[in-house]
Amino acid sequence: MTTRRAFASILALGGVAAATSLSGIRPARAQEAGGTIERIKASGKLRTAAIPGAEPFFHKDILGGGWSGACVDMVKDMAAALGVAPDIIEAEWGTSVMDLQTGKIDVMFALSPTPARALQIQFSDIAISNAFTVIAKKGLSVAKWDDLDKPEIRVAFDTGSSHDIFVRRQLPHCTPVAVQSPTDAIMALQAGRADCVVQVVVIAAVMHARNPAVGDLILPQPVVHQPTCIGVPVSPDPRFLTFVNNWLLYNRSEGIVQEWMFKALRASNVDPASLPPGLEF
C-alpha cells in the first residue's frame, strides 16, 4: 500500500524530473554545480525561520524553547519528504527576505508576495488566501477602511510585515504605530498608544481570542484578500521551487494544509467556524 508520505515523495520527484527536462539546464552542468536540493540533502537539514508571537503560524514555547504552529507542521512535513531534518531559527518578518537572500535559510513559510520582494526572492503558488482585519478599541466605529484613513486614528502593526505594507499603502493618512511583533501591536492597543491594530484574520483571531475585551474584531469593507506563499532563494536551478509547488499542490488538494491551520487555530482557542467566510486553506 502506498502511504501519503511515499506518494508525496513520488510526486515531488516527478516534478523535479519534469523541471530538469524542461528547464533547458544541461544536466551535467547542474550536477557539477550542485543544486539547492542536493545541497539540502548533503547538509541533512531544511532551514527555515519562525516568528515569535505570530500564532497560528508559529508558536514558541517560552519554557522549553521549542516551536509549534501550522508552519512548523509544514516544514516538518516538507523536510521529511526531502529525507532531512527541519532546522528552525528565530527571526522577524522584516528580516526573512534577507535571510533567504544571504543563504541563512532555505525556505520561508507564511510570506506575502509583493513586487519588491519578488525582485529579491522567488515565491511559490498561493498557500493560504488570507484577509486583512482590524481589532478596534471599544467605541471606535469601523465599517470600511476609509474610516481609519485619518490623522487622528493611530494604527498599530508589526514592522516589515504584510500588515506594515498594507497600512502604509491603504491608510496613508493615518498615524502609524510601528512595533516589533503582532503581540506588541496588541499591547500598544491595550496601553492606549493605538486606536486599532491591523492584522490578517488568522493572526487577529488568535490575538482577539486571548483577550476579547481588548476591542472588536472587524472585517472592514471592501474585503482585501492577502495571499500567503512560501518564499525560496533565487536560483538558476528551478527544481527546488518546482518541488515546493508540487508539495504544496498535494497538501492543499488533500486538505492537509487546512488540517494544519485548523489544528493551530484550535491550539490557540480559536474555533475555525468563527472565521469570516471565504478563507481558503
Side-chain angles (χ1 to χ4, degrees), residues 198-269:
V198 169
Q199 294 172 340
V200 291
V201 63
V202 290
I203 293 179
V206 171
M207 296 295 171
H208 190 258
R210 288 177 179 171
N211 184 5
V214 71
D216 298 317
L217 180 58
I218 303 167
L219 184 66
Q221 298 298 313
V223 176
V224 181
H225 290 281
Q226 173 62 43
T228 299
C229 302
I230 301 170
V232 301
V234 174
S235 171
D237 179 1
R239 294 176 304 154
F240 184 54
L241 181 57
T242 300
F243 162 77
V244 169
N245 277 326
N246 283 346
W247 175 89
L248 185 57
L249 174 63
Y250 173 75
N251 285 293
R252 285 200 69 183
S253 63
E254 291 289 305
I256 299 167
V257 170
Q258 178 169 285
E259 289 177 12
W260 287 326
M261 289 299 302
F262 284 0
K263 171 188 170 186
L265 284 167
R266 292 189 183 102
S268 297
N269 298 314

Side-chain angles (χ1 to χ4, degrees), residues 133-137 140 145 148 154-158 163 167 179 181-190 194-200 203-204 207 214 216-218:
T133 55
V134 171
I135 300 177
K137 69 179 182 180
L140 180 63
W145 289 108
L148 300 176
R154 300 164 298 169
V155 181
F157 53 86
D158 46 315
H163 311 138
V167 169
V179 295
S181 72
T183 301
D184 291 333
I186 296 297
M187 291 176 65
L189 178 60
Q190 286 179 307
D195 299 303
C196 66
V197 173
V198 169
Q199 294 172 340
V200 291
I203 293 179
M207 296 295 171
V214 71
D216 298 317
L217 180 58
I218 303 167

Side-chain angles (χ1 to χ4, degrees), residues 68-98:
S68 60
C71 292
V72 176
D73 285 337
M74 291 180 196
V75 71
K76 288 179 179 178
D77 189 89
M78 183 180 289
L82 287 165
V84 298
D87 184 16
I88 303 173
I89 65 169
E90 183 172 325
E92 300 174 7
W93 292 121
T95 62
S96 56
V97 171
M98 184 179 297

